Amino acid sequence: MPELPEVELYRRYVDGTSLAQRIVEVRTENEGRMLPQGKELIQNTSVGKTFSHTSRVGKFLFLHLDNGKILMWHFGLTGAPVYYRNAEDRPRFERIVFDFDNGFHLAFNCSRKFGRLELTDDVEKYREEKNLGKDAMEITSEEFTQPLSRKKTMIKPALLEQKHFAGIGNWIADEMLFQTKIHPETRCNDLSATQLEQLFTSMRSIIHTAIDHESHYQDFPNEYLVINRKDGGSCPDCGNELIRIVVGGRGTYICTTCQVSP
DNA sequence: CACACTGTTCGCTC
DNA sequence: CGAGCGAACAGTGT
């Protein structure tokens, strides 16, 4: 689920629910590899502290503790934060839980356990360690087009790399390529400067749209691929059938008429 | 039972 | 050594 817009919505959710409450306990259950640094470190650092604010780079969410330490949450494919009070509201796949002194809980819900929670003390340092680019909504058109223009790989997997700019995932990449009528297997260095500019513009517009609609895809504009791409769906532009192919190992929806194979 | 899944990382090859 | 690529991770949903 979570790409840049979803994680931004998660950030706002945590911001609106979980700041300035004393953490009294951190519990885990079936957390698998979600805490690669070990749970004791997270517990020892968090208990007795509060979350003071949040920040985000791409799909990485940072919860800042009031002692300067930072908890990085990455949601993988199926993660989400859930704030609740009563046991009956406990999410089904709660793996890591922060108990607050007011009786509420902030859970890291994650069915597939691809999510990660790590301790760091500096966002910029973390970005460098993880070879993570700047946030896709913070970059200039030049910072977007320049690294792409030299690559020889197919454009779709290039958009999914997080090192040049961070936050694009599978559905946004498909949507960008559909809206600019570029086939996902086109080599980056075969794209014109105009096409790269169009990709940048559509990326910003798609992310804005997703956040404005709280990532509720059904509410997106009718001309979006994401609301038409069900089996046997038809292209909102030309009416021909949309098909699913695999590009770079990822399921990919295209209109074979609008997005001409290179 | 078969297959798909909106993410990342590892290991292999060139 | 870096880029490219496929598999692996682990589980739910259809």
Side-chain angles (χ1 to χ4, degrees), chain A residues 11-220:
Chain A
R11 188 193 67 74
R12 295 178 188 184
Y13 175 81
V14 171
D15 224 43
T17 57
S18 302
L19 302 187
Q21 299 151 53
R22 194 71 48 193
I23 299 163
V24 294
E25 197 172 349
V26 181
R27 295 176 290 118
T28 67
E29 188 179 349
N30 290 325
E31 75 274 25
R33 306 178 182 206
M34 292 179 66
L35 297 170
Q37 299 162 326
K39 71 173 174 182
E40 293 78 12
L41 179 68
I42 305 300
Q43 290 168 327
N44 294 340
T45 308
S46 308
V47 171
K49 312 301 186 303
T50 66
F51 293 120
S52 61
H53 61 290
T54 58
S55 60
R56 181 188 58 73
V57 176
K59 307 169 193 173
F60 292 71
L61 175 62
F62 299 95
L63 277 64
H64 298 248
L65 291 162
D66 60 358
N67 61 354
K69 301 287 187 183
I70 303 165
L71 299 184
M72 188 292 300
W73 294 38
H74 189 286
F75 297 100
L77 278 170
T78 58
V82 180
Y83 183 77
Y84 68 98
R85 175 163 209 168
N86 301 320
E88 63 261 32
D89 297 323
R90 189 171 84 95
R92 182 174 166 198
F93 303 108
E94 176 179 276
R95 309 294 187 193
I96 305 162
V97 204
F98 292 77
D99 296 333
F100 296 117
D101 62 356
N102 59 2
F104 281 79
H105 315 276
L106 178 64
F108 193 141
N109 194 51
C110 191
S111 69
R112 269 175 92 180
K113 305 187 208 174
F114 285 178
R116 295 287 181 271
L117 197 164
E118 294 174 345
L119 175 68
T120 183
D121 49 27
D122 187 276
V123 171
E124 284 303 300
K125 191 182 86 178
Y126 187 86
R127 230 162 53 73
E128 282 173 27
E129 283 170 3
K130 298 289 172 176
N131 204 13
L132 184 65
K134 289 204 222 169
D135 187 80
M137 285 305 271
E138 304 292 321
I139 59 173
T140 63
S141 113
E142 191 144 88
E143 288 171 319
F144 176 85
T145 58
Q146 217 223 357
L148 288 180
S149 62
R150 311 200 187 141
K151 290 182 71 72
K152 300 181 183 116
T153 39
M154 298 182 287
I155 180 64
K156 170 152 181 188
L159 292 172
L160 297 179
E161 287 183 37
Q162 304 294 304
K163 69 176 176 184
H164 302 303
F165 43 85
I168 305 307
N170 204 37
W171 83 255
I172 296 182
D174 278 4
E175 191 69 54
M176 289 168 65
L177 293 164
F178 173 77
Q179 291 191 13
T180 53
K181 301 188 190 299
I182 295 168
H183 192 283
E185 291 172 323
T186 309
R187 300 282 154 181
C188 293
N189 56 1
D190 286 338
L191 292 168
S192 68
T194 304
Q195 286 178 308
L196 288 169
E197 285 294 333
Q198 288 171 340
L199 280 172
F200 178 70
T201 304
S202 75
M203 174 181 78
R204 295 184 59 82
S205 154
I206 291 163
I207 291 172
H208 271 307
T209 299
I211 294 174
D212 286 350
H213 292 90
E214 300 194 318
S215 278
H216 202 245
Y217 304 136
Q218 291 167 337
D219 298 338
F220 285 14

Side-chain angles (χ1 to χ4, degrees), chain A residues 174 177-178 182-184 225 241-245 247 252-257 259:
Chain A
D174 278 4
L177 293 164
F178 173 77
I182 295 168
H183 192 283
L225 173 68
E241 199 176 6
L242 302 171
I243 62 165
R244 179 186 179 275
I245 61 176
V247 180
T252 302
Y253 288 88
I254 57 166
C255 171
T256 47
T257 306
Q259 294 165 276

